[in-house]
């Protein structure tokens, strides 16, 4: 249980940091974080504006980044941690000018 919570904090840190960096490149500079209690756990939604659309095919690839060289480890490590925990589910969605990341934590 402790490792799952520790990893969840690291995952959220990565996702929120990425969201803030992406939103800073836009005119709107919008980041929205919502947490909802569900029947068997929690749902966390992180939504942000973006300027450079990420390539979903490479999103979790080590070294892939829309921000230039010597980057691209965050989503790789977040994905690796998510795969270690069956109680954590993750969805990544791109809409017009908005990235939506959803995390489900089953308790």
């Amino acid at each position: 249980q402790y490792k799952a919570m520790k990893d969840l904090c690291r995952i959220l840190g990565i996702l929120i940091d990425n969201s803030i960096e992406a939103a800073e490149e836009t005119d709107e500079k919008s980041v929205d974080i919502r947490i909802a209690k569900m029947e068997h756990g929690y749902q966390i939604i992180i939504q942000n504006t973006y300027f450079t659309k990420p390539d979903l095919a490479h999103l979790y690839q080590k070294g892939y980044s829309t921000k230039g060289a010597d980057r691209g480890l965050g989503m790789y490590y977040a994905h690796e941690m998510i795969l270690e925990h069956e109680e954590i589910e993750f969805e990544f969605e791109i809409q017009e000018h908005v990235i939506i990341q959803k995390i489900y934590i089953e308790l």
Side-chain angles (χ1 to χ4, degrees):
Q1 188 77 359
Y2 172 76
K3 181 167 175 24
M5 282 296 140
K6 183 178 172 185
D7 285 350
L8 178 62
C9 289
R10 293 165 115 183
I11 292 164
L12 288 174
I14 290 166
L15 300 182
I16 292 169
D17 184 60
N18 285 353
S19 295
I20 291 168
E21 285 185 359
E24 285 177 336
E25 297 177 346
T26 68
D27 292 334
E28 299 88 357
K29 298 184 184 344
S30 175
V31 176
D32 181 37
I33 301 170
R34 289 174 271 157
I35 302 172
K37 176 126 176 68
M38 309 297 281
E39 186 176 344
H40 298 288
Y42 290 90
Q43 177 186 50
I44 302 169
I45 299 174
I46 303 166
Q47 183 172 307
N48 63 276
T49 53
Y50 69 89
F51 182 76
T52 304
K53 183 177 181 179
D55 181 352
L56 289 177
H58 297 101
L59 187 64
Y60 308 119
Q61 181 179 331
K62 193 172 190 176
Y64 172 74
S65 175
T66 60
K67 299 175 192 101
D70 299 322
R71 307 206 36 150
L73 296 177
M75 287 303 287
Y76 169 78
Y77 289 126
H79 186 250
E80 292 295 307
M81 284 184 274
I82 289 166
L83 291 176
E84 290 178 18
H85 301 283
E86 62 185 38
E87 67 275 18
I88 300 174
E89 293 181 32
F90 178 70
E91 294 178 17
F92 190 97
E93 180 182 338
I94 299 176
Q95 295 182 0
E96 188 172 331
H97 304 293
V98 178
I99 292 173
I100 302 169
Q101 300 172 94
K102 297 179 183 178
I103 300 173
Y104 302 94
I105 304 111
E106 187 176 319
L107 300 176

